[in-house]
Amino acid sequence: MTLSHSNEKLRRTFVREEAYIILRDWIIQGKLEPGQQLRDKELAEQLGVSRTPIREALLRLEDEGFVQTKPNRSTTVSPIDFHDTFHLYSIAWSLERLALEQAFEQINSQHLQMMVEINQKLKSALEEGDKLKALEADNEFHSMYIELSGNKELKRILLGVKQKLRRLELYYFDKATDVHLSCDEHTQMIEALEQKNLPLALNAVELNWKHGFSRIQGYTAQVKQDK
């Protein structure tokens, strides 16, 4: 009896988590667009689940800033707010500097070769205009030293920040200019690590994130000018 109850509880946990992951990814990838109204009944029917895990997922997504609910009004996908962008980027480069500093002594020639290969994957994806593949490769590149830092809490915090940045970067991917320069910035990082020059490597990480922010900032400034 206890075992049966435990299995049922476990199944409900999986359904709740899966509903959350699917809805979060739909928002990040733009399948659910900014401002789009979210009806728990319709989403439940789409996913083939009850309304309870959908409601729980929407509450969790609201806490994370992906959706918003106004009093006595419906739940909608949160707008993409450029004003919050700088804060997210500054957190990302600060924490990645820390991750690289903690990973520095662990990085060897094999890791560097892997980073070179991943960077080549990123370059190919950018040339093909495959934004999902490009962002996956970019994340894989940065994950090399984040994983090597051995700092699980740092990794957890960065994951949350990067989920929000992923949505932003997918949205701006086709609009921002010079995204290919990210590959050159990665190369500078690799070269600094090959030279065992930690200050230069840390600076390269920060500049990579700052330039990414500047590319998006350049697009938004142009839009305001055109208006």
Side-chain angles (χ1 to χ4, degrees):
M1 192 70 175
T2 305
L3 183 60
S4 176
H5 178 73
S6 177
N7 287 341
E8 181 62 24
K9 187 175 180 180
L10 192 61
R11 191 186 71 80
R12 287 201 303 270
T13 302
F14 283 148
V15 169
R16 186 169 65 241
E17 184 67 18
E18 191 173 359
Y20 160 75
I21 291 171
I22 290 171
L23 293 179
R24 183 200 65 195
D25 288 351
W26 282 356
I27 293 170
I28 289 171
Q29 294 167 15
K31 293 178 181 178
L32 293 173
E33 298 178 350
Q36 184 173 338
Q37 189 172 343
L38 301 174
R39 297 180 175 87
D40 55 13
K41 184 179 179 182
E42 291 180 3
L43 292 169
E45 289 172 354
Q46 274 185 280
L47 297 182
V49 299
S50 70
R51 293 164 77 170
T52 300
I54 297 297
R55 287 170 177 166
E56 290 175 349
L58 291 176
L59 284 172
R60 188 171 166 187
L61 289 165
E62 184 174 14
D63 286 341
E64 294 173 354
F66 286 111
V67 306
Q68 55 188 20
T69 304
K70 295 182 180 178
N72 303 317
R73 296 186 66 180
S74 61
T75 299
T76 58
V77 177
S78 297
I80 292 177
D81 188 354
F82 179 74
H83 297 295
D84 292 336
T85 306
F86 176 77
H87 298 130
L88 290 171
Y89 270 86
S90 62
I91 292 169
W93 76 58
S94 298
L95 292 183
E96 283 214 0
R97 279 181 62 103
L98 178 59
L100 183 59
E101 187 172 8
Q102 293 182 348
F104 186 68
E105 295 299 330
Q106 310 302 321
I107 299 173
N108 58 36
S109 58
Q110 186 177 358
H111 296 131
L112 292 174
Q113 182 56 39
M114 289 172 68
M115 291 173 78
V116 169
E117 292 169 4
I118 295 166
N119 201 35
Q120 186 56 50
K121 281 201 300 184
L122 171 60
K123 184 177 180 181
S124 299
L126 288 172
E127 289 171 351
E128 294 164 9
D130 189 331
K131 57 185 179 182
L132 273 174
K133 191 176 176 183
L135 287 175
E136 284 171 5
D138 184 67
N139 187 61
E140 187 182 356
F141 180 90
H142 290 265
S143 291
M144 283 291 299
Y145 51 85
I146 294 171
E147 290 289 345
L148 288 169
S149 74
N151 191 329
K152 292 181 181 179
E153 189 63 18
L154 179 62
K155 179 182 174 182
R156 185 190 65 78
I157 297 169
L158 268 170
L159 181 62
V161 172
K162 288 188 174 187
Q163 291 288 6
K164 295 178 181 179
L165 285 174
R166 183 177 172 85
R167 181 186 182 216
L168 187 81
E169 290 171 344
L170 280 169
Y171 179 80
Y172 283 109
F173 184 86
D174 299 322
K175 306 170 182 67
T177 58
D178 298 333
V179 288
H180 64 279
L181 292 179
S182 185
C183 293
D184 297 336
E185 292 155 12
H186 286 174
T187 299
Q188 292 169 12
M189 200 186 307
I190 293 168
E191 289 174 349
L193 290 170
E194 286 174 338
Q195 298 164 18
K196 299 291 184 182
N197 189 328
L198 179 58
L200 191 61
L202 294 175
N203 188 53
V205 170
E206 184 170 333
L207 284 177
N208 181 225
W209 281 103
K210 284 184 173 179
H211 289 161
F213 171 75
S214 296
R215 285 187 275 273
I216 292 175
Q217 188 179 41
Y219 166 74
T220 54
Q222 185 61 50
V223 169
K224 288 180 181 178
Q225 185 177 334
D226 292 343
K227 288 180 179 179

